[in-house]
Amino acid sequence: MRVAVAGTGYVGLSVALLLSQHNRVHALDIVPEKVGMLQRGVSPIRDVEIERFLRDKESMGLDFTATGDVCEAYGDADFAVVATPTNYDTDTNSFDTSAVEAALDAIRSVNPDCWIVVKSTIPVGYTQMIREKRNDRRIIFSPEFLREGHALYDNLHPSRIVVGAPRDDLEARKAADMFASLLEGGAEPEERERVNADGTTGIPKLVLGCTEAEAVKLFANTYLALRVSYFNELDTYCETKGLDTAQVIRGVCLEPRIGMFYNNPSFGYGGYCLPKDTRQLLANYRDVPQNLIQAIVDSNTTRKDFVADEVLKRVNKLVYDGVSKPVVGVYRLTMKSGSDNFRASSIQGIMKRVKAKGVPVVVYEPTYRGDEFYGSKVTKDLDTFKHECDLIIANRWNDDLTDIQDKVYTRDLYRRD
Ligand SMILES: NC(=O)c1ccc[n+]([C@@H]2O[C@H](COP(=O)([O-])OP(=O)(O)OC[C@H]3O[C@@H](n4cnc5c(N)ncnc54)[C@H](O)[C@@H]3O)[C@@H](O)[C@H]2O)c1
């Protein structure tokens, strides 16, 4: 098969690499520097598997193109995958899908017949709407479930493969089946033998209606945000009432229906997807009764307010103890340890709140290119950072901090993501 991919971010690049094992793949991005790096075999993002694939698998059928060569990238594709951003637009209360539509325009300008698979996360109902609006029946949707930092790994070992096509369109369902098989074909061979929790064997392949597939993506991410919020609110309660959070979490999570995983408190859920996807699902509930979805969105703001207040309490204590103008250090802007990406990370929300109270903030972020972040000094020198700051906040612990742990405020109880 010939596959084109629009967008070489976390989603587009991992899908392109996955499919290039058995297909001819051409990926296009509008950022020429990114394309230049990829053409040299250098990954623009930190991801062990992506870096390894780009380094070791030079003979794979994969090309990268910058905008301008639309015909070269999309012209002869059988499938064109769209993996462009869908940021949340607070003015329209919905995802901004303009980058998806720009990619659809570009693909159709040179290739009227290929199947377009939207991999970007989109509002529930979008595929059906865009098919009708453009009078284009060759658009289907496949949600992406990867985690940043493990983007390609999660495609090589997928929890499930979901593709959405209208239930009454046999041709589209056949294309959805074919695309699901392409994704399955790229997965590690041992995944085809695995036994799933429901007793089935192999990678579960679900060909659903488009709208159901869109709902799967937003409900899955909103559930993850719910779980993060739940343990964060448990922690807020324990901190406020002087209880030992770790003891309570252990006692709660040893219940097998709850489970001892994904229960580590933090400064709030963050990253590119959970904040925007929860808000989009809430927007989709516009005319449907709900309490929980609104609460999941609100809970994250309440958590950040709480964490910022805890930080400010400690700052005030330092003043009381005689430190004239305490400096708060932000240890990493990233959401997770091992990541080089800090889109919508929760620590930024804490930083903003603390700065709004006039407290000076210094940031330690070795992956940041500039010297300032929202008016705060950024340093790459850890020793200077430790020396300069009176209190250090860290969403995730790192052993780098051991020698000054008395200065550190974190809620990372288990010292893992
Ligand atoms: N990052 C994740 O963990 C993740 C997981 C699942 C789903 N998603 C969804 O997938 C989509 C992409 O996310 P991402 O994290 O890969 O984004 P990203 O920002 O890392 O990458 C998007 C890429 O698309 C490029 N681009 C923008 N407009 C383009 C156009 N018209 N043609 C070609 N390229 C274009 C950008 O330059 C960028 O390189 C979003 O809808 C996101 O919600 C992301």
Side-chain angles (χ1 to χ4, degrees):
M1 285 281 166
R2 282 159 311 204
V3 180
V5 177
T8 59
Y10 291 83
V11 175
L13 186 52
S14 51
V15 170
L17 288 166
L18 179 94
L19 295 181
S20 70
Q21 297 173 99
H22 303 114
N23 304 278
R24 180 103 196 102
V25 178
H26 211 124
L28 180 145
D29 204 288
I30 54 170
V31 178
E33 297 78 42
K34 223 178 216 189
V35 173
M37 288 177 81
L38 289 165
Q39 285 168 339
R40 295 194 303 277
V42 179
S43 175
I45 52 181
R46 193 167 155 196
D47 184 298
V48 177
E49 296 291 333
I50 289 180
E51 286 159 19
R52 185 172 66 79
F53 261 57
L54 283 171
R55 205 180 41 240
D56 299 346
K57 303 215 169 180
E58 285 159 9
S59 58
M60 288 188 313
L62 181 59
D63 280 324
F64 295 101
T65 302
T67 314
D69 295 322
V70 170
C71 195
E72 192 189 341
Y74 303 140
D76 66 354
D78 302 301
F79 281 98
V81 178
V82 175
T84 54
T86 49
N87 300 337
Y88 193 79
D89 182 339
T90 42
D91 290 336
T92 59
N93 258 336
S94 185
F95 283 156
D96 172 1
T97 54
S98 55
V100 172
E101 274 136 61
L104 296 180
D105 286 341
I107 294 163
R108 282 297 179 241
S109 70
V110 292
N111 189 333
D113 296 325
C114 69
W115 284 97
I116 299 182
V117 184
V118 178
K119 269 253 160 212
S120 302
T121 305
I122 46 182
V124 182
Y126 180 83
T127 310
Q128 195 182 332
M129 180 280 293
I130 205 76
R131 282 167 60 97
E132 284 165 16
K133 186 171 152 199
R134 302 175 74 100
N135 193 21
D136 188 339
R137 291 180 49 214
R138 290 180 164 242
I139 303 174
I140 57 179
F141 169 69
S142 173
E144 176 58 60
F145 301 108
L146 63 78
R147 296 162 300 164
E148 287 181 7
H150 306 275
L152 181 53
Y153 179 93
D154 286 345
N155 271 291
L156 292 165
H157 305 270
S159 52
R160 69 283 205 203
I161 290 169
V162 178
V163 187
R167 269 174 268 166
D168 55 357
D169 186 336
L170 279 184
E171 216 197 331
R173 290 189 81 79
K174 250 171 80 180
D177 248 334
M178 209 183 293
F179 189 71
S181 297
L182 287 186
L183 294 177
E184 185 188 36
E188 291 291 345
E190 75 259 20
E191 295 300 326
R192 274 162 245 160
E193 312 299 324
R194 76 175 194 218
V195 179
N196 300 302
D198 62 0
T200 54
T201 307
I203 303 163
K205 280 194 295 178
L206 282 63
V207 174
L208 312 177
C210 294
T211 313
E212 282 80 0
E214 291 158 352
V216 164
K217 175 64 198 170
L218 292 188
F219 277 102
N221 268 3
T222 303
Y223 180 80
L224 295 176
L226 161 77
R227 185 145 171 137
V228 174
S229 299
Y230 184 84
F231 288 102
N232 279 343
E233 287 207 3
L234 184 158
D235 181 56
T236 297
Y237 184 86
C238 290
E239 280 265 272
T240 306
K241 300 289 182 185
L243 311 185
D244 183 330
T245 302
Q247 282 188 16
V248 178
I249 290 183
R250 182 149 195 265
V252 168
C253 292
L254 282 170
E255 159 64 56
R257 286 171 298 179
I258 298 175
M260 196 59 102
F261 57 90
Y262 210 55
N263 57 5
N264 192 14
S266 66
F267 290 170
Y269 61 77
Y272 182 44
C273 294
L274 297 195
K276 77 180 179 75
D277 291 1
T278 45
R279 293 167 89 190
Q280 177 57 56
L281 185 61
L282 180 60
N284 274 113
Y285 263 92
R286 206 172 304 110
D287 50 358
V288 179
Q290 59 78 31
N291 296 107
L292 199 49
I293 311 297
Q294 179 73 57
I296 295 165
V297 172
D298 294 345
S299 169
N300 214 34
T301 305
T302 305
R303 174 65 173 173
K304 287 187 218 164
D305 290 343
F306 171 78
V307 170
D309 284 349
E310 288 295 304
V311 174
L312 290 167
K313 266 191 221 162
R314 284 160 176 77
V315 168
N316 290 335
K317 170 132 193 345
L318 285 167
V319 175
Y320 184 79
D321 291 346
V323 182
S324 60
K325 203 144 177 105
V327 174
V328 169
V330 169
Y331 177 80
R332 307 298 312 264
L333 293 167
T334 47
M335 194 59 218
K336 298 174 186 175
S337 34
S339 160
D340 61 348
N341 169 10
F342 41 86
R343 291 187 285 189
S345 65
S346 54
I347 204 164
Q348 290 183 56
I350 311 304
M351 179 178 163
K352 197 171 98 186
R353 286 162 173 80
V354 168
K355 280 174 63 131
K357 296 289 178 196
V359 178
V361 169
V362 172
V363 176
Y364 169 71
E365 182 45 71
T367 68
Y368 188 70
R369 287 210 193 118
D371 298 329
E372 269 199 10
F373 186 76
Y374 287 103
S376 291
K377 185 175 108 180
V378 179
T379 177
K380 294 177 176 61
D381 182 338
L382 188 57
D383 289 333
T384 314
F385 172 74
K386 286 179 184 174
H387 182 71
E388 211 173 327
C389 301
D390 301 288
L391 173 68
I392 290 174
I393 59 174
N395 184 51
R396 285 296 175 244
W397 173 262
N398 189 293
D399 287 343
D400 273 356
L401 300 169
T402 308
D403 59 331
I404 41 102
Q405 57 183 313
D406 292 348
K407 278 188 184 182
V408 177
Y409 177 73
T410 182
R411 298 310 302 150
D412 181 4
L413 300 184
Y414 299 110
R415 303 198 169 178
R416 59 168 160 77
D417 279 340

